[in-house]
Each structure stands twice: as C-alpha cells, then as structure tokens.
Amino acid sequence: MCIRDSLGDALVSEWTKIKSVRSTMWTLGVMVALVIGIGLLVAVAVGAQGNEVHTPLPSFGFFGVLLGSICVITLGALTMTSEYGTGMIRTTLTACPSRGRVLAAKGLIFFAVAFVITLVTTTLVALMHSALLSGTVTDAADTGAWLRATVGVSLYVATLGLLAMAVGTLLRHSAGAVTVMLGVVLLPLVLGLFMFSESLEKVREFLFLYSIPSQLGGFYGTAVGDEGPTGWTPLWIMLGVTAVVMGGAYASLTKRDV
C-alpha cells in the first residue's frame, strides 16, 4: 500500500514489484550473460592471436554492453507497460493516487537496479580482460578511462532504460515501446548506411556520430568518428533527452485516463 504523502511507501511498493516479477530476472539475467559471455569470447579471441594489440583494455567491453543494453531497454519498457497490460495500473493508482509519485518511484527503483547490475557486470568484464589480456594489450588506460568504461557506461545504460520506461508510459503497449526503442537504437545507423547522395552527407555523418551505438562507444574511445561525442558527453546528451521524454510521460500519465 502506498500512503498518499509518502514517497518511501511508493518506493517500497515498486521495489517489491520489480524483484518479484519474472521479467526482471530474465531480462537482467540475459543481459549479464551477454555482457560477460561476449566479453570472455572477445578476450579469448584477442589472446589467441598472440600479437600485441594497441587498444586500451576497457575498449573490449563495448561489444557485450551494446547487446546487453537491449535487455535493459526491454525491462525499462515493461516496468510501466506490463501494468497497463494486466490492468494492475488501476490498483497502483488507487493505492497511490499521486501519479507523479508513482512515476518517480518506478523510475528511481528501475534506475538503481539497472545501474547496479550493469556496474557489477562491466566491472567484472574489465577485471577479466585485465587478467587475460594484460600481456597482449600494450596501451595503458588511465583511471578516467576505467571509470567511463564502468561507472559511465552503467549510468548511460540505466538512463537509456529510463528513456524506454518513459516511452512505455506514453505508448502503454509493451511491443510498441520496445519496437520504438529498438528503432531509436538501430535506425540512425541503418538510415545512414543507405544515404549515398552527397547532398545527404552531413545528415549521414550526424546519424553516425550521434547514434546510440556511437555514443556508447564514446565511453570506450571507440566512437564512429573523432567529431562525435566522447568522454562523458554522451551521458549528458542521454540525460537531456530522457528528461524531455520523461516530462512528456508525466504529462501523459496525469492527463489521460487509465
């Protein structure tokens, strides 16, 4: 039950929901398996070559995180849309009439869970690569590079999942929200590949540089181009976009009937 004037009760309620539904276990379980599994395969493949590699160690975590982020997106969308699908949203809003408080509680709990799981997973992959590839990779990475490849990536992926939750709030449909988010992640790169005209060169370059895979690669120093966002800049971009969409989600939740 959520007391009307207590955010704490709303947080407890949402924590109970997210830890008890099977979708959380499956989506985050698959994410962990993908990030660690692909990370291990990359380490084995690079180590088997026997040649020195001039790429900082944290960069090899990019491939697993890119695929694993799709699982976080799916869970983010389901955090809201599953309640609309089952009709549970009526019970939730009856127990806690403040719709803004419900949205805030869902967002905080989801963000915390996604961030912690991603941080633990990316840190394990980074340590695994350090142990397996220390004699193969010659380029040393500074503390900032390690922080971006663990904390930075985890914040970005969790925020991306929060964006999916906001889209789910707007669409109220699981398949639709996941499809839209997959389009957001993949469509810019696909469109850019088919823009052959010289008149569209700047558009193509923008799509490549600011696509989500390129922004994610910016944390690892593997962005598509030198002019694209690097360092912590992708996180600020994602936070800004998510804040705008979350504002729309709040307006939609408070004005529309359930």
Side-chain angles (χ1 to χ4, degrees):
M1 246 353 233
C2 171
I3 301 174
R4 294 191 178 195
D5 58 352
S6 175
L7 177 61
D9 287 278
L11 290 171
V12 171
S13 175
E14 294 305 325
W15 167 244
T16 302
K17 291 177 188 177
I18 200 169
K19 73 177 182 178
S20 60
V21 296
R22 287 179 293 178
S23 58
T24 302
M25 179 187 69
W26 280 107
T27 52
L28 294 183
V30 171
M31 187 273 283
V32 171
L34 283 172
V35 176
I36 294 179
I38 294 176
L40 181 60
L41 288 175
V42 169
V44 171
V46 173
Q49 293 180 356
N51 300 321
E52 291 186 350
V53 178
H54 301 285
T55 302
L57 273 172
S59 301
F60 296 109
F62 166 76
F63 305 100
V65 171
L66 180 60
L67 289 177
S69 64
I70 296 176
C71 299
V72 178
I73 287 171
T74 302
L75 179 60
L78 290 175
T79 298
M80 181 59 78
T81 59
S82 61
E83 292 207 31
Y84 281 101
T86 61
M88 183 67 182
I89 189 66
R90 295 183 179 87
T91 304
T92 298
L93 294 180
T94 299
C96 186
S98 175
R99 300 187 179 192
R101 188 173 296 123
V102 169
L103 184 63
K106 284 183 178 294
L108 288 171
I109 293 297
F110 168 79
F111 185 89
V113 171
F115 172 73
V116 170
I117 297 298
T118 307
L119 178 61
V120 171
T121 307
T122 53
T123 301
L124 287 175
V125 171
L127 294 174
M128 179 176 64
H129 286 171
S130 180
L132 297 176
L133 300 175
S134 58
T136 302
V137 177
T138 59
D139 287 11
D142 57 19
T143 303
W146 285 97
L147 282 175
R148 289 191 297 272
T150 53
V151 177
V153 164
S154 301
L155 288 171
Y156 186 89
V157 171
T159 306
L160 183 61
L162 199 61
L163 175 62
M165 194 193 84
V167 172
T169 306
L170 290 169
L171 299 183
R172 303 185 175 191
H173 190 274
S174 299
V178 174
T179 300
V180 167
M181 286 304 301
L182 288 178
V184 170
V185 173
L186 301 175
L187 192 58
L189 284 178
V190 174
L191 289 176
L193 290 174
F194 289 94
M195 291 183 178
F196 303 110
S197 173
E198 292 185 3
S199 61
L200 297 175
E201 182 177 355
K202 290 186 177 180
V203 177
R204 180 174 65 249
E205 183 178 358
F206 178 85
L207 291 175
F208 281 147
L209 294 179
Y210 288 89
S211 64
I212 287 178
S214 181
Q215 289 189 43
L216 194 57
F219 287 99
Y220 295 99
T222 58
V224 173
D226 296 334
E227 298 180 1
T230 58
W232 294 89
T233 304
L235 178 60
W236 313 139
I237 295 174
M238 182 55 62
L239 285 171
V241 172
T242 302
V244 172
V245 180
M246 189 62 75
Y250 170 75
S252 172
L253 188 63
T254 54
K255 294 181 182 299
R256 292 163 63 183
D257 294 332
V258 295

